[in-house]
Amino acid sequence: MASPKVEQNRAIKAEAIKAEARLLLARDGASSLSLRAVARSMGLASSALYRYFESRDALLTSLIVDAYDDLGEACERSVQASAAWVPRARFAALCGAIRNWALAQPHAYGLLFGTPIPGYAAPATTIDAATRVPLAFAAILHDAPLESANDDAVPAGTLVDAALVAILPGQSRATHARALCTWSSVFGLVSFELFGHFVGSVADPERFFDVAVANLADLIGVPR
Amino acid sequence: MASPKVEQNRAIKAEAIKAEARLLLARDGASSLSLRAVARSMGLASSALYRYFESRDALLTSLIVDAYDDLGEACERSVQASAAWVPRARFAALCGAIRNWALAQPHAYGLLFGTPIPGYAAPATTIDAATRVPLAFAAILHDAPLESANDDAVPAGTLVDAALVAILPGQSRATHARALCTWSSVFGLVSFELFGHFVGSVADPERFFDVAVANLADLIGVPR
DNA sequence: TGTACATCAGTGAACGCGCGTTCACTGATGTAC
DNA sequence: TGTACATCAGTGAACGCGCGTTCACTGATGTAC
């Protein structure tokens, strides 16, 4: 029966721990993030953290949720800031927001979109936070008069229609498929840049990204 | 002054070690791959491996090179097997070959295209092996009459033109940019499927992949 | 074909490290009267 | 406002583990005569 004040202190302290963990994550990456390292860098005994997090996995999960939320917020800010723009510019801005977020915290990006951590299974808790990015995309596409796509090319049963209708209502199955393809392509671009696969072929990553995003806008049929 | 016979034995043993390491990689993933684990599973003392690999990183590097080569070979086989097909079908086959390879050995895929291993820098040795995949793409696109793209959209200095001309000669800057975008998009699709980001929205990953690949063929302008 | 010897392959103990987690504990903090 | 006490936050030692790497060593193997 924890009292309100105690609960509040706990929450504040847990936040401080997460903040420290985020710092270490940003500096050293996810795989070398340990409870002991966090405790050490806060001047605490490692056992003290167990008062706030059940295990290392619990801390990791909360970092993942935070990262998804942070990225989601960045996306939502971009969507709101571009409310008056033409769809193509909004799309480019959103993609740029994702790229900027990734460049600013590459290790957090890797935590979300890189190799899954072995032995760690993301619990359902993360889903809500993870959905904010696709929802931001949907918000832009929702009002844009997308070029029509041929539904025949997408057999029934390919997609989870209910989920996609909820996110991107009023669009055909083919458009849903294109949206998914485009969505993953944006992360393909960012991952390749961040993980070094464009070294030797792209000279100016930012400009290239802009060009590539324009290509992807064509792909999903955002009007010029 | 190692004698030929000794050298040969060394090479055979080194191969056996790599084979065992590949097995462990496939089973447990890259981050839990240790020299000790490999030695243990071969019934050797861990110190014995140092006769064949200078360090853990050296073993890892050779696994990476092998994985790139393996994927590269799979791609080249696809390119050769589809020699008589129309470009669109060849493109789809190549993408499918990449996806199949990734599904068959997800941990190796993660090693190549997932989060870079912290503290590990891939040496230049890996570059040749890594180039085989883009070269396979180029082999298909080389003969295909790609729809022309507008060069004005790609400012000079965006790409490393020399490298791209070497891989995909006779094509415009805009096509080079499109090719890079498409290339990374294919891996974006595969990564999203493998790393679980399509869970909840894609019901039949294989069929979806085919649809998405058709979209990407449009993107780079492979004629229908 | 047989023997002597240099080189090789592999051993096993050891070093020092960091990790997650548990546990009995000591002060400090907040609460109830 | 003061005191008694329950709950709390944090300690530090310990357990058992796995890791990369080194080193002096012992048999086995291949070679040269």
Side-chain angles (χ1 to χ4, degrees), chain A residues 63-65 67-69 71 101 107-114, chain B residues 195 197:
Chain A
L63 284 184
I64 290 177
V65 172
Y68 269 125
D69 272 326
L71 172 60
W101 186 88
H107 284 123
Y109 179 87
L111 187 60
L112 301 185
F113 297 101
Chain B
F195 298 164
H197 295 287

Side-chain angles (χ1 to χ4, degrees), chain B residues 112-132:
Chain B
L112 300 185
F113 297 101
T115 325
I117 294 179
Y120 171 83
T125 325
T126 62
I127 293 182
D128 283 350
T131 311
R132 294 172 70 173

Side-chain angles (χ1 to χ4, degrees), chain B residues 9-31:
Chain B
N9 284 345
R10 273 180 63 85
I12 290 172
K13 214 61 206 278
E15 243 350 286
I17 292 170
K18 287 208 287 189
E20 192 67 41
R22 265 192 293 267
L23 241 71
L24 289 184
L25 170 65
R27 189 153 55 84
D28 304 326
S31 65

